[in-house]
Amino acid sequence: MRYFFNRLGFLILSIWAAITLNFILPRLMPGNPAETIFAKFQGHMQPSQLHAMELQFGFSNKPFILQYFQYLGSLLTGHWGLSYTYYPTSVSQIIVTSLPWTIGLLGIATVISVVVGTLVGILIAWRRGGIADSTLPIATMFFQSMPLFWLGLVLVYFLAFTLNWFPMFHGYSSSVNVGWNWPFISSVIYHGILPAIVVFLGSISGWIIGMRNNMINTLGEDYVVFAEAKGVSNSRLIFMYAARNALLPQVTSLAIALSSIVGGQILVEQVFSYPGIGYQLTNAVSMEDYPLIQGMFLIIALSVLLVNFLVDMLYGRLDPRVRRRGTES
Amino acid sequence: MKSLTSNKRKSGNLRLFFRNSKAVIGLVIFSVFVLIAIFAGWIAPYNPQVSQFLPMQPPSLQNLLGTTSTGQDIFSQFVWGTQTTMIVGVGAGLLSTFIGILVGVYAGYKGGWVDSVLNTIANIFLVLPGLALLILIESYVKNTTPYSNGLIIALTGWAWGARVFRAQAMSLAGRDFIIAAKLSGASDLRIIFVEILPNMMSIIAANVMYACLGAILAESGLAYLGLENLSSNSWGTMLYWAQAGGAMLGGAWWWFIPPGLAIALVGMSFALMNFSIDQITNPRLRVRKMKNKASGVRKVESHGRENASA
């Protein structure tokens, strides 16, 4: 229970930090960005909406601390402001429509990457020193150390623009009706393949190398050596004896990967104009749409923090040692 | 006595580093880019900003990497971009590692409430989404130079290092030689810099490379989004102009391939060196024939544990 409250306290503290950053940054910067926004919005906004903007970006003359609590209050009641680019759509509405795209694309790509990477890691650790073991980690590391948005640009250029195998941008073709019908679904899949490949190539290296190193550690354990001496079959030895215990550290990495799904591939989404959270954020930046920027940052931060909290909870259940240590840190 | 053995181990590790082919390849790639960065003024044939050639020309003898849509020489841009990107990447990597050391080692060594406060701050920085935070900050700070960009990257990206250093410092703080130093009246600063830091050099080295790689990727990403001063020379800005200038639709592969490939190569060189450091400091990972597995592992077990706890 103490562990739970400890983690809950950290969750609240970090959410508070993210919100406060959002509040302080526009007030800290020289050349008040609020004036830019104000000038843009003036003329085509209701007075009450303008007033809300004033509160959000702090050009009211009220005391600082009062503005702060009003800001917190409006966030809690779901008033995240109005987007300038998509006026009069509210920021929360844009989040609701963008979130499924990001979670769908990156979620699926991450799961494929984890499963394939972990299996490859298990196998190359078993055939240690073989051809696959000496080439695959290096080859995939090359993809991990390149900027993924650039890998996206290259793939778009060669596979989509030159060869015309894949569409160049967007999440679905403009000629289909949005809804649960096959033309739309197949169009979504078709458009998702290329960005998914980019995310897959960029993330698989960590899974392969991580699993390989864990496997090598467990393969050296006494119980595995004993099982081998006892004559346990190879496949049983690999999967039932060694891999099972080597998987645990991978779960930690999976937690980190899951928590960064929403904000993890902002630039890849931008390259493909994929209609997710990251693309909206970069769009908002180029349009100087500050309410949208703030909203996107907040939803990315919230998703990271919440998933982290859930994983901590899960981990406390899986491994009681964590629970005891967690209260100290 | 202690320093003698640690020196011996250190030189042994250096020899292992240079005998490792991956490490050497990484070091060579890295050195090539460092040389280009240092001698940029001699290597670049033209002014990178002046439009003096036919636009969108493919590579030729006159323009080794072709020209942009406004007739600038891409090779010259690339060479000057190497200088900027290397300074920013390595500088930000070193700075963020330094902050990480200060926070992490001090917290781990001191313990108590100092540790609680510093560790909580580090954890908050750790969980806040890095790139999104950078984009948020830079959307307010207009027209950053590559150098101020590097500074912002370092100031927001030190937390991962701090966490690693803290764990290592905590495990060292209880050892006999630290207690002995404390009893002999050495100051905190002296203990941290003379006793603790030399014992975590491999972790620091690994972290520097990791941080440099992260900084180069972050800087190029921000510049690609146009958040950096658009007249600066960096690989990321080149990619921004390639995208904005229609390099893709114009078929100008020579414009957007070189900067990205260079980032990938520099990143690769860091990853290769890092990979080798990992193998050197964790003997279990050294390639050994399967047959020796059982007997070989046992011998290094105690050593491996020590590193695993780091």
Side-chain angles (χ1 to χ4, degrees):
Chain A
M1 213 51 200
R2 189 155 160 227
Y3 175 71
F4 172 77
F5 281 116
N6 187 292
R7 294 290 89 197
L8 188 69
F10 181 72
L11 173 74
I12 293 170
L13 186 69
S14 44
I15 290 178
W16 169 81
I19 291 174
T20 308
L21 261 177
N22 238 346
F23 175 81
I24 287 183
L25 275 176
R27 289 165 174 81
L28 214 63
M29 295 303 163
N32 198 357
E35 277 163 26
T36 337
I37 309 161
F38 203 56
K40 273 187 178 177
F41 274 96
Q42 221 155 17
H44 57 139
M45 238 191 181
Q46 308 285 327
S48 64
Q49 289 166 340
L50 272 180
H51 177 67
M53 295 273 314
E54 283 175 13
L55 293 181
Q56 194 168 8
F57 292 94
F59 32 20
S60 70
N61 298 321
K62 286 184 188 155
F64 200 72
I65 199 80
L66 201 67
Q67 290 179 33
Y68 184 57
F69 281 108
Q70 276 173 332
Y71 177 70
L72 288 183
S74 65
L75 280 184
L76 283 178
T77 49
H79 294 101
W80 289 26
L82 296 176
S83 160
Y84 168 74
T85 327
Y86 302 96
Y87 184 81
T89 316
S90 71
V91 170
S92 21
Q93 191 58 44
I94 295 170
I95 290 174
V96 170
T97 50
S98 316
L99 209 48
W101 289 99
T102 298
I103 293 179
L105 172 71
L106 293 170
I108 291 170
T110 305
V111 168
I112 295 174
S113 170
V114 173
V115 172
V116 174
T118 305
L119 281 177
V120 171
I122 292 174
L123 294 179
I124 64 173
W126 181 250
R127 298 236 166 271
R128 188 160 169 210
I131 299 170
D133 184 31
S134 44
T135 52
L136 272 180
I138 299 291
T140 53
M141 220 156 69
F142 185 60
F143 287 110
Q144 195 173 31
S145 45
M146 67 176 57
L148 280 193
F149 71 89
W150 177 74
L151 180 62
L153 285 176
V154 172
L155 288 187
V156 165
Y157 179 72
F158 288 108
L159 298 184
F161 177 69
T162 313
L163 294 172
N164 234 331
W165 289 355
F166 295 100
M168 286 183 72
F169 340 87
H170 300 308
Y172 54 92
S173 159
S174 53
S175 60
V176 297
N177 294 321
V178 179
W180 288 108
N181 53 59
W182 178 242
F184 175 70
I185 295 172
S186 64
S187 169
V188 168
I189 295 173
Y190 186 41
H191 281 73
I193 292 176
L194 217 46
I197 289 177
V198 172
V199 176
F200 174 78
L201 285 177
S203 59
I204 191 161
S205 163
W207 303 111
I208 294 182
I209 293 175
M211 193 60 192
R212 172 189 179 270
N213 292 355
N214 299 340
M215 272 297 277
I216 284 170
N217 278 330
T218 43
L219 280 175
E221 295 284 344
D222 288 344
Y223 75 91
V224 176
V225 178
F226 175 68
E228 195 180 5
K230 207 171 67 172
V232 171
S233 75
N234 272 354
S235 63
R236 195 174 154 77
L237 188 72
I238 296 175
F239 290 102
M240 301 306 285
Y241 283 73
R244 264 177 85 164
N245 279 330
L247 265 178
L248 214 84
Q250 291 286 89
V251 176
T252 321
S253 319
L254 180 65
I256 297 171
L258 284 182
S259 70
S260 61
I261 274 184
V262 172
Q265 300 299 349
I266 297 169
L267 296 166
V268 174
E269 287 188 15
Q270 196 272 346
V271 167
F272 288 96
S273 306
Y274 202 81
I277 294 284
Y279 176 60
Q280 295 292 3
L281 175 62
T282 57
N283 249 357
V285 167
S286 58
M287 299 295 291
E288 297 191 323
D289 187 348
Y290 287 102
L292 194 54
I293 297 176
Q294 285 203 341
M296 289 300 154
F297 172 72
L298 216 52
I299 190 68
I300 292 171
L302 273 181
S303 61
V304 174
L305 301 176
L306 279 175
V307 174
N308 263 326
F309 174 72
L310 291 177
V311 168
D312 277 346
M313 289 295 97
L314 208 67
Y315 233 66
R317 286 231 160 266
L318 287 178
D319 188 349
R321 283 172 304 175
V322 177
R323 223 161 16 201
R324 244 169 290 133
R325 241 182 298 139
T327 50
E328 287 151 25
S329 72
Chain B
M1 184 64 195
K2 191 223 93 217
S3 69
L4 223 166
T5 51
S6 83
N7 267 347
K8 205 187 280 172
R9 200 201 294 164
K10 208 184 287 169
S11 69
N13 281 347
L14 264 184
R15 210 176 323 118
L16 277 175
F17 186 81
F18 283 110
R19 220 189 280 158
N20 188 318
S21 60
K22 282 175 200 148
V24 172
I25 294 172
L27 196 64
V28 167
I29 299 175
F30 181 69
S31 312
V32 168
F33 281 104
V34 169
L35 288 178
I36 296 177
I38 294 174
F39 298 109
W42 282 277
I43 298 172
Y46 310 106
N47 183 327
Q49 302 288 352
V50 177
S51 308
Q52 49 185 341
F53 301 99
L54 286 174
M56 289 288 220
Q57 293 301 303
S60 64
L61 276 180
Q62 189 188 22
N63 306 106
L64 288 175
L65 293 176
T67 60
T68 68
S69 61
T70 52
Q72 297 154 324
D73 180 45
I74 293 178
F75 181 69
S76 303
Q77 289 194 340
F78 178 80
V79 170
W80 284 109
T82 308
Q83 190 180 58
T84 315
T85 306
M86 293 302 274
I87 293 175
V88 171
V90 174
L94 287 175
L95 183 61
S96 76
T97 306
F98 183 69
I99 301 173
I101 289 175
L102 283 186
V103 175
V105 173
Y106 192 67
Y109 165 70
K110 276 306 237 187
W113 68 268
V114 177
D115 180 38
S116 304
V117 172
L118 289 179
N119 190 35
T120 307
I121 296 174
N123 277 337
I124 289 176
F125 269 95
L126 201 62
V127 289
L128 286 181
L131 188 61
L133 179 62
L134 286 173
I135 292 175
L136 178 76
I137 294 174
E138 306 238 333
S139 67
Y140 292 118
V141 191
K142 296 275 169 52
N143 279 329
T144 49
T145 64
Y147 302 110
S148 57
N149 237 343
L151 193 67
I152 297 173
I153 291 169
L155 288 177
T156 53
W158 50 269
W160 182 253
R163 172 177 254 194
V164 177
F165 299 139
R166 171 177 173 266
Q168 180 74 356
M170 272 168 82
S171 90
L172 285 173
R175 304 270 172 94
D176 289 345
F177 69 95
I178 302 284
I179 296 171
K182 240 188 252 179
L183 290 177
S184 70
S187 68
D188 284 354
L189 273 182
R190 193 186 149 78
I191 290 177
I192 287 175
F193 282 98
V194 180
E195 304 290 345
I196 295 183
L197 283 190
N199 278 298
M200 43 199 282
M201 272 322 201
S202 65
I203 297 179
I204 294 177
N207 191 77
V208 166
M209 290 175 191
Y210 182 75
C212 288
L213 171 59
I216 288 178
L217 289 179
E219 193 265 344
S220 60
L222 291 170
Y224 167 73
L225 285 180
L227 288 168
E228 199 169 279
N229 189 338
L230 293 179
S231 60
S232 57
N233 281 308
S234 75
W235 290 339
T237 320
M238 285 177 76
L239 287 170
Y240 169 83
W241 282 116
Q243 168 98 338
M248 308 277 287
L249 300 176
W253 53 267
W254 56 86
W255 195 355
F256 65 86
I257 296 276
L261 196 61
I263 299 170
L265 282 173
V266 173
M268 186 68 186
S269 75
F270 282 129
L272 281 172
M273 291 190 278
N274 209 352
F275 198 69
S276 327
I277 292 180
D278 219 25
Q279 279 189 335
I280 290 166
T281 51
N282 188 353
R284 277 194 177 193
L285 296 180
R286 276 183 219 161
V287 177
R288 204 181 291 117
K289 289 273 176 283
M290 282 295 287
K291 276 171 201 146
N292 309 344
K293 185 182 68 189
S295 60
V297 162
R298 195 110 349 110
K299 258 180 254 161
V300 294
E301 185 134 46
S302 58
H303 194 96
R305 281 279 149 73
E306 214 170 277
N307 279 298
S309 67

